[in-house]
Protein backbone atom coordinates (compact mmCIF):
# COMPACT_ATOMS: atom_id res chain seq x y z
CA UNK A 1 0.00 0.00 0.00
CA UNK A 2 1.27 3.48 -0.81
CA UNK A 3 0.66 6.71 1.01
CA UNK A 4 -1.01 9.40 -1.02
CA UNK A 5 1.83 11.08 -2.85
CA UNK A 6 4.76 13.05 -1.57
CA UNK A 7 2.83 14.21 1.51
CA UNK A 8 3.61 10.87 3.13
CA UNK A 9 0.21 10.60 4.75
CA UNK A 10 -3.00 8.76 3.87
CA UNK A 11 -5.39 10.28 1.38
CA UNK A 12 -8.08 12.25 3.21
CA UNK A 13 -11.60 12.01 1.77
CA UNK A 14 -14.80 13.66 3.00
CA UNK A 15 -18.08 12.05 1.99
CA UNK A 16 -21.22 14.17 2.38
CA UNK A 17 -24.15 11.90 3.13
CA UNK A 18 -24.26 8.70 5.20
CA UNK A 19 -26.94 6.98 3.14
CA UNK A 20 -26.19 3.85 1.10
CA UNK A 21 -24.46 5.81 -1.69
CA UNK A 22 -22.07 7.59 0.69
CA UNK A 23 -21.37 4.45 2.68
CA UNK A 24 -20.75 2.34 -0.43
CA UNK A 25 -18.27 5.03 -1.51
CA UNK A 26 -16.51 4.68 1.87
CA UNK A 27 -16.47 0.91 1.40
CA UNK A 28 -14.99 1.19 -2.10
CA UNK A 29 -12.19 3.39 -0.72
CA UNK A 30 -11.35 1.21 2.27
CA UNK A 31 -11.59 -2.08 0.37
CA UNK A 32 -8.87 -1.24 -2.14
CA UNK A 33 -5.29 -1.98 -1.11
CA UNK A 34 -3.29 0.43 -3.26
CA UNK A 35 -3.73 3.73 -1.45
CA UNK A 36 -3.91 4.38 2.30
CA UNK A 37 -7.09 6.36 3.04
CA UNK A 38 -8.90 8.05 5.91
CA UNK A 39 -12.56 8.69 5.27
CA UNK A 40 -14.93 11.00 7.15
CA UNK A 41 -18.62 10.47 6.40
CA UNK A 42 -20.80 13.46 7.29
CA UNK A 43 -24.57 13.57 7.62
CA UNK A 44 -26.88 16.42 8.51
CA UNK A 45 -28.89 14.01 10.69
CA UNK A 46 -27.58 12.44 13.90
CA UNK A 47 -28.39 9.05 12.32
CA UNK A 48 -26.76 7.26 9.38
CA UNK A 49 -28.39 5.18 6.57
CA UNK A 50 -30.40 7.93 4.84
CA UNK A 51 -33.36 6.55 2.93
CA UNK A 52 -32.90 3.07 4.41
CA UNK A 53 -34.02 4.54 7.71
CA UNK A 54 -36.31 7.31 6.44
CA UNK A 55 -37.47 6.17 2.98
CA UNK A 56 -37.86 2.37 2.93
CA UNK A 57 -41.34 1.46 4.16
CA UNK A 58 -41.51 0.30 7.80
CA UNK A 59 -43.17 -2.99 6.78
CA UNK A 60 -40.20 -3.78 4.50
CA UNK A 61 -37.80 -4.82 7.24
CA UNK A 62 -36.01 -7.29 4.97
CA UNK A 63 -34.86 -4.36 2.80
CA UNK A 64 -33.90 -2.41 5.92
CA UNK A 65 -31.71 -5.29 7.10
CA UNK A 66 -29.01 -3.93 4.76
CA UNK A 67 -28.15 -1.63 7.69
CA UNK A 68 -26.13 -4.49 9.24
CA UNK A 69 -23.75 -4.38 6.25
CA UNK A 70 -23.77 -0.56 6.22
CA UNK A 71 -22.86 -0.50 9.92
CA UNK A 72 -19.81 -2.66 9.21
CA UNK A 73 -18.62 -0.01 6.75
CA UNK A 74 -18.92 2.64 9.46
CA UNK A 75 -17.02 0.41 11.88
CA UNK A 76 -13.98 0.20 9.62
CA UNK A 77 -11.02 1.67 11.55
CA UNK A 78 -10.31 4.14 8.75
CA UNK A 79 -13.88 5.42 8.50
CA UNK A 80 -15.33 8.01 10.85
CA UNK A 81 -19.01 9.03 11.11
CA UNK A 82 -19.64 12.69 11.86
CA UNK A 83 -23.40 13.13 12.17
CA UNK A 84 -25.52 16.20 12.84
CA UNK A 85 -23.20 18.29 10.69
CA UNK A 86 -24.87 20.16 7.86
CA UNK A 87 -23.02 21.02 4.69
CA UNK A 88 -23.59 24.71 3.89
CA UNK A 89 -24.49 25.56 7.51
CA UNK A 90 -21.80 24.02 9.70
CA UNK A 91 -19.21 23.46 7.00
CA UNK A 92 -18.66 24.99 3.59
CA UNK A 93 -17.11 23.54 0.48
CA UNK A 94 -14.03 25.69 1.10
CA UNK A 95 -13.64 24.30 4.64
CA UNK A 96 -13.67 20.80 3.23
CA UNK A 97 -11.33 21.53 0.35
CA UNK A 98 -8.95 22.88 2.96
CA UNK A 99 -8.98 19.75 5.14
CA UNK A 100 -9.46 16.95 2.61
CA UNK A 101 -7.82 15.89 -0.62
CA UNK A 102 -11.17 14.96 -2.13
CA UNK A 103 -14.85 15.58 -1.38
CA UNK A 104 -17.63 13.23 -2.47
CA UNK A 105 -21.21 14.52 -2.62
CA UNK A 106 -23.64 11.68 -1.85
CA UNK A 107 -26.62 13.66 -0.59
CA UNK A 108 -29.37 11.82 -2.50
CA UNK A 109 -32.51 13.48 -3.80
CA UNK A 110 -34.39 15.01 -0.89
CA UNK A 111 -37.02 16.96 -2.81
CA UNK A 112 -39.85 15.85 -5.08
CA UNK A 113 -41.28 16.66 -8.49
CA UNK A 114 -44.46 18.64 -9.15
CA UNK A 115 -47.31 17.73 -11.47
CA UNK A 116 -47.64 21.24 -12.88
CA UNK A 117 -51.46 21.15 -12.97
CA UNK A 118 -53.98 23.75 -11.70
CA UNK A 119 -55.00 23.31 -8.07
CA UNK A 120 -51.73 21.64 -7.10
CA UNK A 121 -51.21 24.09 -4.25
CA UNK A 122 -54.62 23.54 -2.64
CA UNK A 123 -54.56 22.26 0.94
CA UNK A 124 -54.83 18.49 0.64
CA UNK A 125 -52.52 18.28 -2.38
CA UNK A 126 -49.20 17.06 -1.01
CA UNK A 127 -46.13 15.05 -1.82
CA UNK A 128 -45.66 11.37 -1.09
CA UNK A 129 -42.12 12.25 0.05
CA UNK A 130 -43.61 14.29 2.91
CA UNK A 131 -45.93 11.44 3.86
CA UNK A 132 -43.11 8.87 3.77
CA UNK A 133 -40.91 11.10 5.96
CA UNK A 134 -43.80 11.48 8.43
CA UNK A 135 -44.61 7.79 8.83
CA UNK A 136 -40.91 6.95 9.03
CA UNK A 137 -40.38 9.45 11.87
CA UNK A 138 -38.00 11.84 10.08
CA UNK A 139 -36.93 14.47 12.62
CA UNK A 140 -37.71 17.33 10.20
CA UNK A 141 -41.28 16.12 9.71
CA UNK A 142 -44.02 17.74 11.80
CA UNK A 143 -45.59 14.91 13.82
CA UNK A 144 -49.00 16.62 13.66
CA UNK A 145 -48.89 17.23 9.90
CA UNK A 146 -51.30 14.46 8.86
CA UNK A 147 -54.79 13.60 10.08
CA UNK A 148 -56.05 11.17 7.39
CA UNK A 149 -59.64 12.41 7.72
CA UNK A 150 -60.20 12.00 3.96
CA UNK A 151 -62.19 9.05 2.64
CA UNK A 152 -60.78 9.23 -0.89
CA UNK A 153 -57.05 9.52 -1.64
CA UNK A 154 -55.39 9.76 -5.05
CA UNK A 155 -51.77 8.61 -5.29
CA UNK A 156 -50.33 9.92 -8.55
CA UNK A 157 -47.60 7.77 -10.10
CA UNK A 158 -46.95 4.10 -10.82
CA UNK A 159 -43.59 3.55 -9.13
CA UNK A 160 -42.59 1.72 -5.96
CA UNK A 161 -43.01 4.83 -3.79
CA UNK A 162 -46.63 5.10 -4.98
CA UNK A 163 -47.10 1.44 -4.03
CA UNK A 164 -45.48 2.01 -0.61
CA UNK A 165 -47.78 4.89 0.34
CA UNK A 166 -50.83 3.09 -1.06
CA UNK A 167 -50.01 0.00 1.01
CA UNK A 168 -49.36 1.94 4.22
CA UNK A 169 -52.69 3.77 3.76
CA UNK A 170 -54.51 0.50 3.07
CA UNK A 171 -53.05 -1.66 5.82
CA UNK A 172 -54.72 -2.21 9.15
CA UNK A 173 -52.89 -1.01 12.23
CA UNK A 174 -52.35 -4.65 13.22
CA UNK A 175 -50.43 -5.16 9.97
CA UNK A 176 -48.09 -2.30 10.89
CA UNK A 177 -47.89 -2.51 14.67
CA UNK A 178 -44.74 -4.65 14.98
CA UNK A 179 -42.75 -2.57 12.47
CA UNK A 180 -40.65 0.53 13.20
CA UNK A 181 -43.32 2.92 11.90
CA UNK A 182 -43.34 6.14 13.93
CA UNK A 183 -45.69 6.02 16.94
CA UNK A 184 -47.47 9.22 15.88
CA UNK A 185 -48.20 7.68 12.47
CA UNK A 186 -49.56 4.49 13.98
CA UNK A 187 -51.91 6.57 16.18
CA UNK A 188 -53.24 8.54 13.20
CA UNK A 189 -53.54 5.44 10.99
CA UNK A 190 -55.58 3.79 13.76
CA UNK A 191 -58.24 6.47 13.26
CA UNK A 192 -57.86 6.85 9.49
CA UNK A 193 -61.06 7.55 7.53
CA UNK A 194 -59.49 6.42 4.25
CA UNK A 195 -61.72 3.98 2.37
CA UNK A 196 -60.72 4.35 -1.31
CA UNK A 197 -57.17 4.77 -2.59
CA UNK A 198 -56.71 5.44 -6.30
CA UNK A 199 -53.21 4.80 -7.61
CA UNK A 200 -52.93 6.59 -10.94
CA UNK A 201 -50.55 5.54 -13.73
CA UNK A 202 -50.43 7.86 -16.72
CA UNK A 203 -49.33 5.05 -19.03
CA UNK A 204 -50.23 1.37 -19.27
CA UNK A 205 -49.24 -1.65 -17.16
CA UNK A 206 -46.31 -2.44 -19.45
CA UNK A 207 -44.79 1.01 -18.70
CA UNK A 208 -45.37 0.97 -14.93
CA UNK A 209 -42.21 1.41 -12.85
CA UNK A 210 -43.21 -0.70 -9.86
CA UNK A 211 -41.83 -4.20 -9.30
CA UNK A 212 -43.84 -7.40 -9.04
CA UNK A 213 -43.18 -8.25 -5.41
CA UNK A 214 -44.46 -4.83 -4.34
CA UNK A 215 -47.47 -5.08 -6.67
CA UNK A 216 -48.39 -8.54 -5.36
CA UNK A 217 -48.38 -7.32 -1.77
CA UNK A 218 -51.32 -5.03 -2.57
CA UNK A 219 -53.42 -8.10 -3.31
CA UNK A 220 -52.69 -9.75 0.02
CA UNK A 221 -53.79 -7.13 2.55
CA UNK A 222 -55.99 -8.03 5.49
CA UNK A 223 -58.77 -5.51 4.96
CA UNK A 224 -58.35 -3.99 1.48
CA UNK A 225 -59.71 -5.23 -1.85
CA UNK A 226 -57.79 -4.43 -4.99
CA UNK A 227 -59.66 -3.32 -8.10
CA UNK A 228 -58.27 -3.28 -11.64
CA UNK A 229 -60.33 -2.42 -14.75
CA UNK A 230 -59.61 -5.00 -17.43
CA UNK A 231 -60.08 -2.38 -20.19
CA UNK A 232 -57.18 -0.37 -18.72
CA UNK A 233 -54.70 -3.24 -18.86
CA UNK A 234 -55.20 -4.21 -22.48
CA UNK A 235 -51.75 -4.29 -24.10
CA UNK A 236 -50.90 -2.54 -27.37
CA UNK A 237 -49.01 -4.60 -30.00
CA UNK A 238 -45.81 -2.76 -28.91
CA UNK A 239 -46.55 -3.70 -25.29
CA UNK A 240 -46.96 -7.34 -26.26
CA UNK A 241 -43.39 -7.21 -27.58
CA UNK A 242 -42.22 -5.63 -24.31
CA UNK A 243 -43.72 -8.48 -22.34
CA UNK A 244 -40.53 -10.41 -23.01
CA UNK A 245 -39.14 -8.30 -20.12
CA UNK A 246 -39.72 -10.63 -17.14
CA UNK A 247 -40.71 -7.79 -14.77
CA UNK A 248 -43.30 -6.47 -17.21
CA UNK A 249 -44.59 -9.98 -17.92
CA UNK A 250 -45.00 -10.77 -14.23
CA UNK A 251 -46.60 -7.38 -13.51
CA UNK A 252 -49.13 -7.93 -16.28
CA UNK A 253 -49.91 -11.44 -15.02
CA UNK A 254 -50.52 -10.13 -11.49
CA UNK A 255 -52.70 -7.29 -12.77
CA UNK A 256 -54.76 -9.69 -14.89
CA UNK A 257 -55.26 -11.79 -11.78
CA UNK A 258 -56.44 -8.71 -9.86
CA UNK A 259 -58.82 -7.74 -12.69
CA UNK A 260 -60.45 -11.18 -12.48
CA UNK A 261 -61.16 -10.82 -8.76
CA UNK A 262 -64.53 -9.89 -7.28
CA UNK A 263 -64.95 -7.51 -4.37
CA UNK A 264 -64.97 -9.29 -1.02
CA UNK A 265 -66.45 -6.46 1.03
CA UNK A 266 -63.27 -5.41 2.80
CA UNK A 267 -63.25 -2.00 4.49
CA UNK A 268 -60.83 -0.40 2.03
CA UNK A 269 -60.47 -0.49 -1.71
CA UNK A 270 -57.30 0.03 -3.74
CA UNK A 271 -58.13 1.12 -7.28
CA UNK A 272 -55.14 0.56 -9.57
CA UNK A 273 -55.83 2.83 -12.54
CA UNK A 274 -53.86 3.10 -15.78
CA UNK A 275 -53.84 5.44 -18.78
CA UNK A 276 -55.11 8.41 -16.75
CA UNK A 277 -53.41 11.76 -16.05
CA UNK A 278 -54.47 14.33 -13.46
CA UNK A 279 -55.21 17.55 -15.37
CA UNK A 280 -56.60 19.54 -12.44
CA UNK A 281 -56.91 19.23 -8.71
CA UNK A 282 -60.35 20.64 -8.01
CA UNK A 283 -61.77 22.36 -4.93
CA UNK A 284 -62.76 25.77 -3.58
CA UNK A 285 -60.51 26.10 -0.55
CA UNK A 286 -59.21 22.53 -0.30
CA UNK A 287 -59.04 19.41 -2.43
CA UNK A 288 -62.47 18.04 -3.35
CA UNK A 289 -61.50 15.93 -6.32
CA UNK A 290 -59.01 15.20 -9.05
CA UNK A 291 -59.95 15.63 -12.70
CA UNK A 292 -58.41 12.99 -14.91
CA UNK A 293 -57.97 12.80 -18.63
CA UNK A 294 -57.91 9.34 -20.17
CA UNK A 295 -54.82 8.58 -22.24
CA UNK A 296 -53.74 6.35 -25.07
CA UNK A 297 -50.14 5.52 -25.91
CA UNK A 298 -48.54 6.90 -29.05
CA UNK A 299 -46.09 4.83 -31.13
CA UNK A 300 -43.21 5.89 -28.85
CA UNK A 301 -45.08 4.73 -25.77
CA UNK A 302 -45.84 8.28 -24.54
CA UNK A 303 -49.18 9.12 -22.92
CA UNK A 304 -51.47 11.22 -25.13
CA UNK A 305 -54.79 12.63 -23.88
CA UNK A 306 -57.94 11.28 -25.56
CA UNK A 307 -60.17 14.24 -24.62
CA UNK A 308 -62.23 12.01 -22.30
CA UNK A 309 -62.39 13.14 -18.68
CA UNK A 310 -63.64 11.97 -15.30
CA UNK A 311 -63.41 13.35 -11.76
CA UNK A 312 -62.53 11.21 -8.75
CA UNK A 313 -64.01 12.14 -5.35
CA UNK A 314 -60.86 12.53 -3.26
CA UNK A 315 -59.89 14.96 -0.52
CA UNK A 316 -56.20 14.11 -0.49
CA UNK A 317 -53.83 13.94 -3.45
CA UNK A 318 -50.33 12.53 -2.95
CA UNK A 319 -48.02 13.12 -5.86
CA UNK A 320 -45.50 10.33 -6.18
CA UNK A 321 -43.90 11.19 -9.49
CA UNK A 322 -40.25 10.94 -8.57
CA UNK A 323 -37.68 12.54 -6.28
CA UNK A 324 -35.44 15.45 -7.19
CA UNK A 325 -32.07 16.60 -5.81
CA UNK A 326 -31.56 19.92 -4.02
CA UNK A 327 -28.62 22.23 -4.78
CA UNK A 328 -25.69 22.40 -2.34
CA UNK A 329 -24.08 25.76 -1.67
CA UNK A 330 -20.98 26.27 -3.82
CA UNK A 331 -21.51 23.05 -5.79
CA UNK A 332 -22.63 23.00 -9.45
CA UNK A 333 -26.24 21.93 -9.93
CA UNK A 334 -28.39 21.12 -12.93
CA UNK A 335 -31.88 22.32 -11.98
CA UNK A 336 -33.45 20.50 -14.94
CA UNK A 337 -32.30 17.03 -13.88
CA UNK A 338 -31.98 17.81 -10.16
CA UNK A 339 -28.44 16.39 -10.15
CA UNK A 340 -24.83 17.56 -9.82
CA UNK A 341 -23.38 17.74 -13.36
CA UNK A 342 -20.71 15.07 -13.59
CA UNK A 343 -18.71 12.84 -15.87
CA UNK A 344 -18.98 9.31 -14.46
CA UNK A 345 -18.85 10.81 -10.97
CA UNK A 346 -16.29 13.58 -11.51
CA UNK A 347 -18.02 16.91 -10.80
CA UNK A 348 -18.09 19.25 -13.78
CA UNK A 349 -17.24 22.88 -13.00
CA UNK A 350 -17.21 25.50 -15.76
CA UNK A 351 -17.47 22.77 -18.37
CA UNK A 352 -14.60 20.63 -17.05
CA UNK A 353 -14.35 17.61 -14.78
CA UNK A 354 -12.36 18.79 -11.75
CA UNK A 355 -10.06 16.46 -9.79
CA UNK A 356 -10.94 16.72 -6.10
CA UNK A 357 -14.75 16.82 -6.27
CA UNK A 358 -16.91 13.77 -6.93
CA UNK A 359 -20.50 12.65 -6.68
CA UNK A 360 -22.35 9.37 -6.31
CA UNK A 361 -25.87 7.98 -5.84
CA UNK A 362 -29.10 9.76 -6.73
CA UNK A 363 -27.52 13.24 -6.76
CA UNK A 364 -25.14 11.89 -9.43
CA UNK A 365 -27.49 9.89 -11.67
CA UNK A 366 -31.04 10.79 -10.60
CA UNK A 367 -33.50 8.85 -8.41
CA UNK A 368 -33.43 5.37 -9.89
CA UNK A 369 -32.61 1.80 -9.04
CA UNK A 370 -32.61 -0.22 -5.86
CA UNK A 371 -30.28 0.22 -2.85
CA UNK A 372 -27.68 -2.12 -4.37
CA UNK A 373 -27.52 0.00 -7.54
CA UNK A 374 -25.67 2.58 -5.47
CA UNK A 375 -22.82 0.15 -4.85
CA UNK A 376 -21.81 -0.09 -8.51
CA UNK A 377 -22.37 3.65 -8.86
CA UNK A 378 -20.00 4.36 -5.92
CA UNK A 379 -17.40 1.90 -7.17
CA UNK A 380 -17.32 3.75 -10.51
CA UNK A 381 -16.91 7.17 -8.87
CA UNK A 382 -14.27 6.00 -6.40
CA UNK A 383 -12.26 4.35 -9.19
CA UNK A 384 -12.08 7.77 -10.85
CA UNK A 385 -11.11 9.46 -7.59
CA UNK A 386 -8.25 7.00 -7.10
CA UNK A 387 -7.10 7.29 -10.69
CA UNK A 388 -6.94 11.10 -10.25
CA UNK A 389 -4.54 10.69 -7.31
CA UNK A 390 -1.64 12.61 -8.80
CA UNK A 391 -3.93 15.47 -9.88
CA UNK A 392 -5.71 16.02 -6.58
CA UNK A 393 -5.26 19.48 -5.05
CA UNK A 394 -3.63 18.33 -1.78
CA UNK A 395 -5.23 19.76 1.34
CA UNK A 396 -2.93 22.12 3.13
CA UNK A 397 -5.21 23.06 6.03
CA UNK A 398 -5.54 21.67 9.54
CA UNK A 399 -5.47 17.93 9.78
CA UNK A 400 -8.64 17.23 11.66
CA UNK A 401 -11.98 18.77 10.80
CA UNK A 402 -13.20 18.19 14.36
CA UNK A 403 -11.01 21.11 15.50
CA UNK A 404 -13.00 23.37 13.19
CA UNK A 405 -16.30 21.81 14.30
CA UNK A 406 -15.36 22.34 17.95
CA UNK A 407 -14.34 25.92 17.24
CA UNK A 408 -17.76 26.50 15.66
CA UNK A 409 -19.49 24.69 18.53
CA UNK A 410 -21.06 22.16 16.17
CA UNK A 411 -22.72 19.46 18.27
CA UNK A 412 -21.58 16.54 16.10
CA UNK A 413 -22.16 12.89 16.92
CA UNK A 414 -19.83 9.97 16.27
CA UNK A 415 -20.51 6.30 15.60
CA UNK A 416 -20.54 5.32 19.30
CA UNK A 417 -23.23 7.97 19.92
CA UNK A 418 -25.40 6.64 17.09
CA UNK A 419 -24.92 3.05 18.33
CA UNK A 420 -26.14 4.17 21.76
CA UNK A 421 -29.29 5.65 20.23
CA UNK A 422 -29.71 2.56 18.06
CA UNK A 423 -29.45 0.33 21.14
CA UNK A 424 -32.03 2.44 22.97
CA UNK A 425 -34.51 2.25 20.05
CA UNK A 426 -34.10 -1.50 19.71
CA UNK A 427 -34.51 -2.06 23.45
CA UNK A 428 -37.70 0.01 23.49
CA UNK A 429 -38.87 -2.00 20.50
CA UNK A 430 -38.15 -5.31 22.20
CA UNK A 431 -40.15 -4.27 25.24
CA UNK A 432 -43.09 -3.35 23.00
CA UNK A 433 -42.87 -6.43 20.72
CA UNK A 434 -41.69 -4.30 17.81
CA UNK A 435 -38.58 -4.09 15.64
CA UNK A 436 -37.64 -0.77 17.20
CA UNK A 437 -39.34 2.35 18.51
CA UNK A 438 -37.90 5.28 16.63
CA UNK A 439 -36.93 8.44 18.45
CA UNK A 440 -38.28 11.30 16.37
CA UNK A 441 -37.27 14.48 18.17
CA UNK A 442 -33.79 15.63 17.25
CA UNK A 443 -33.22 17.00 20.76
CA UNK A 444 -34.10 13.67 22.34
CA UNK A 445 -31.98 11.84 19.79
CA UNK A 446 -28.97 13.88 20.80
CA UNK A 447 -29.66 13.41 24.51
CA UNK A 448 -29.97 9.64 24.18
CA UNK A 449 -26.96 9.40 21.88
CA UNK A 450 -24.90 11.17 24.52
CA UNK A 451 -25.96 8.88 27.38
CA UNK A 452 -22.85 6.73 26.90
CA UNK A 453 -20.50 9.70 26.84
CA UNK A 454 -22.19 11.16 29.95
CA UNK A 455 -21.89 7.86 31.81
CA UNK A 456 -18.19 7.59 30.87
CA UNK A 457 -17.70 11.15 32.05
CA UNK A 458 -19.38 10.45 35.39
CA UNK A 459 -17.28 7.30 35.84
CA UNK A 460 -14.10 9.21 35.13
CA UNK A 461 -15.01 11.84 37.73
CA UNK A 462 -16.07 9.26 40.37
P1 LIG B 1 -40.23 6.12 -10.27
O1 LIG B 1 -39.95 4.68 -10.17
O2 LIG B 1 -39.43 6.91 -11.23
O3 LIG B 1 -41.79 6.31 -10.62
C1 LIG B 1 -42.34 7.57 -10.88
C2 LIG B 1 -43.74 7.39 -11.47
O4 LIG B 1 -44.30 8.70 -11.63
C3 LIG B 1 -43.76 6.76 -12.86
O5 LIG B 1 -44.84 5.88 -12.94
C4 LIG B 1 -43.95 7.97 -13.79
O6 LIG B 1 -44.62 7.66 -14.98
C5 LIG B 1 -44.87 8.80 -12.93
N1 LIG B 1 -44.90 10.20 -13.34
C6 LIG B 1 -43.86 11.05 -13.54
N2 LIG B 1 -44.31 12.27 -13.88
C7 LIG B 1 -45.65 12.19 -13.90
C8 LIG B 1 -46.68 13.11 -14.16
N3 LIG B 1 -46.41 14.38 -14.47
N4 LIG B 1 -47.97 12.70 -14.11
C9 LIG B 1 -48.26 11.42 -13.79
N5 LIG B 1 -47.33 10.49 -13.51
C10 LIG B 1 -46.04 10.87 -13.57
O7 LIG B 1 -40.05 6.87 -8.88
P2 LIG B 1 -40.37 6.46 -7.36
O8 LIG B 1 -41.57 5.64 -7.25
O9 LIG B 1 -40.28 7.75 -6.63
O10 LIG B 1 -39.13 5.56 -6.95
C11 LIG B 1 -37.78 6.09 -6.95
C12 LIG B 1 -36.80 4.93 -6.92
O11 LIG B 1 -36.83 4.29 -5.64
C13 LIG B 1 -37.10 3.85 -7.94
O12 LIG B 1 -35.91 3.36 -8.47
C14 LIG B 1 -37.80 2.81 -7.12
O13 LIG B 1 -37.76 1.50 -7.66
C15 LIG B 1 -37.04 2.92 -5.80
N6 LIG B 1 -37.88 2.36 -4.71
C16 LIG B 1 -37.80 1.02 -4.49
C17 LIG B 1 -38.61 0.47 -3.52
C18 LIG B 1 -38.56 -1.04 -3.31
O14 LIG B 1 -37.66 -1.67 -3.82
N7 LIG B 1 -39.49 -1.60 -2.60
C19 LIG B 1 -39.48 1.25 -2.77
C20 LIG B 1 -39.53 2.61 -3.02
C21 LIG B 1 -38.72 3.17 -4.00
P3 LIG B 1 -43.80 7.56 -16.38
O15 LIG B 1 -43.13 6.24 -16.36
O16 LIG B 1 -44.86 7.70 -17.39
O17 LIG B 1 -42.80 8.71 -16.39
Amino acid sequence: MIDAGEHGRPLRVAIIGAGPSGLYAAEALTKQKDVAVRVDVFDRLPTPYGLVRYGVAPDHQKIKSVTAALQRILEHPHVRFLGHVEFGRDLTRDDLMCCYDAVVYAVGAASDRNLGVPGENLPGSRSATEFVAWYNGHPDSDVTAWTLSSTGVAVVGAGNVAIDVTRVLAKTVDELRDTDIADHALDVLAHSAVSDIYMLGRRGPAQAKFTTKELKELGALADADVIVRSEEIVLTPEDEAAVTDPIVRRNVEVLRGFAARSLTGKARRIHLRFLVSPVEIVGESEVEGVRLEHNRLDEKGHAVGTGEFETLPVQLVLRSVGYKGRPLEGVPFDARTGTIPNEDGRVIRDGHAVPGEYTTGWIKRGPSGIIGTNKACAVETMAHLLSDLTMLPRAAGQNDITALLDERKVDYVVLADWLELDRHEQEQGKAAGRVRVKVVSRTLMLQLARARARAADANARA
Side-chain angles (χ1 to χ4, degrees):
M1 184 173 289
I2 58 164
D3 277 337
E6 75 277 14
H7 292 250
R9 59 161 175 78
L11 182 75
R12 293 202 295 259
V13 181
I15 297 175
I16 314 302
S21 60
L23 293 178
Y24 287 136
E27 183 184 46
L29 288 173
T30 50
K31 251 187 166 175
Q32 54 79 38
K33 301 275 179 260
D34 296 330
V35 182
V37 290
R38 296 292 179 273
V39 184
D40 282 348
V41 185
F42 294 87
D43 204 289
R44 70 185 188 88
L45 296 178
T47 54
Y49 313 140
L51 275 188
V52 178
R53 181 173 163 97
Y54 291 120
V56 174
D59 56 343
H60 278 176
Q61 288 299 320
K62 211 165 160 196
I63 301 180
K64 282 186 193 260
S65 66
V66 71
T67 51
L70 297 177
Q71 180 174 322
R72 283 196 291 280
I73 301 171
L74 283 174
E75 285 167 344
H76 189 284
H78 297 156
V79 174
R80 187 165 59 162
F81 173 58
L82 294 167
H84 200 226
V85 180
E86 187 162 340
F87 181 92
R89 183 194 64 185
D90 302 318
L91 286 176
T92 65
R93 171 188 174 268
D94 289 349
D95 295 330
L96 294 171
M97 296 309 284
C98 209
C99 292
Y100 297 92
D101 306 313
V103 179
V104 182
Y105 305 109
V107 294
S111 188
D112 58 275
R113 297 192 177 276
N114 290 331
L115 294 171
V117 299
E120 193 165 7
N121 296 324
L122 278 172
S125 165
R126 308 176 70 170
S127 80
T129 316
E130 243 186 278
F131 185 56
V132 170
W134 173 77
Y135 66 60
N136 269 324
H138 193 291
D140 292 347
S141 175
D142 174 0
V143 297
T144 64
W146 299 80
T147 54
L148 301 181
S149 54
S150 326
T151 51
V153 182
V155 180
V156 185
N160 277 331
V161 172
I163 293 231
D164 279 351
V165 301
T166 298
R167 190 182 64 255
V168 168
L169 284 167
K171 273 193 166 180
T172 61
V173 166
D174 282 342
E175 288 172 290
L176 293 167
R177 203 182 296 284
D178 62 352
T179 72
D180 65 351
I181 193 167
D183 282 345
H184 58 256
L186 205 56
D187 289 347
V188 171
L189 285 162
H191 301 102
S192 161
V194 174
S195 61
D196 289 86
I197 306 150
Y198 302 85
M199 201 178 113
L200 309 174
R202 65 178 168 181
R203 299 193 285 158
Q207 291 77 30
K209 297 271 172 61
F210 47 66
T211 38
T212 315
K213 186 182 148 288
E214 282 65 25
L215 177 64
K216 266 188 180 165
E217 275 181 273
L218 294 182
L221 303 186
D223 205 14
D225 277 322
V226 62
I227 301 169
V228 172
R229 299 178 177 198
S230 43
E231 68 274 19
E232 287 183 352
I233 57 164
V234 175
L235 300 186
T236 64
E238 290 79 16
D239 288 346
E240 292 287 1
V243 171
T244 50
D245 176 332
I247 297 180
V248 174
R249 182 173 45 77
R250 286 196 294 266
N251 280 351
V252 170
E253 274 168 21
V254 173
L255 287 166
R256 284 180 178 152
F258 287 167
R261 287 188 185 184
S262 320
L263 284 181
T264 62
K266 290 181 173 176
R268 293 192 172 120
R269 286 159 297 278
I270 298 170
H271 308 255
L272 297 179
R273 300 288 309 269
F274 295 95
L275 294 165
V276 285
S277 282
V279 288
E280 185 182 355
I281 295 170
V282 290
E284 282 289 315
S285 55
E286 56 186 14
V287 173
E288 291 166 27
V290 58
R291 189 159 187 259
L292 304 178
E293 181 168 15
H294 290 219
N295 295 328
R296 63 174 177 79
L297 295 180
D298 68 10
E299 61 289 348
K300 288 188 180 142
H302 296 151
V304 185
T306 60
E308 239 182 279
F309 297 89
E310 72 174 295
T311 301
L312 297 177
V314 296
Q315 306 80 44
L316 177 63
V317 175
L318 291 175
R319 58 177 186 280
S320 179
V321 294
Y323 289 89
K324 194 174 158 192
R326 286 197 189 127
L328 292 172
E329 205 178 308
V331 181
F333 186 70
D334 181 341
R336 193 183 52 83
T337 58
T339 57
I340 295 175
N342 70 90
E343 222 173 73
D344 303 329
R346 290 183 175 105
V347 173
I348 298 177
R349 264 184 197 276
D350 307 321
H352 301 286
V354 283
E357 282 181 282
Y358 303 84
T359 181
T360 190
W362 280 7
I363 196 66
K364 166 188 171 187
R365 62 173 206 280
S368 63
I370 55 171
I371 293 168
T373 314
N374 294 299
K375 198 165 188 168
C377 183
V379 166
E380 176 189 64
T381 298
M382 293 306 98
H384 288 307
L385 187 158
L386 293 165
S387 71
D388 287 349
L389 204 58
T390 55
M391 292 182 289
L392 294 178
R394 306 311 307 273
Q398 55 191 308
N399 277 346
D400 196 341
I401 196 81
T402 56
L404 190 64
L405 294 173
D406 287 337
E407 197 180 300
R408 291 184 185 165
K409 303 203 179 337
V410 178
D411 195 13
Y412 63 90
V413 302
V414 295
L415 180 61
D417 299 328
W418 152 246
L419 292 177
E420 182 65 22
L421 174 59
D422 187 33
R423 190 187 55 77
H424 169 88
E425 288 189 343
Q426 292 192 50
E427 268 178 21
Q428 296 289 304
K430 208 169 170 191
R434 303 179 57 189
V435 180
R436 73 170 61 227
V437 175
K438 272 185 178 171
V439 178
V440 176
S441 135
R442 202 184 278 251
T443 315
L444 190 55
M445 273 185 191
L446 292 172
Q447 270 173 21
L448 289 162
R450 296 282 153 62
R452 173 199 55 88
R454 274 200 309 274
D457 209 30
N459 275 348
R461 268 187 266 123

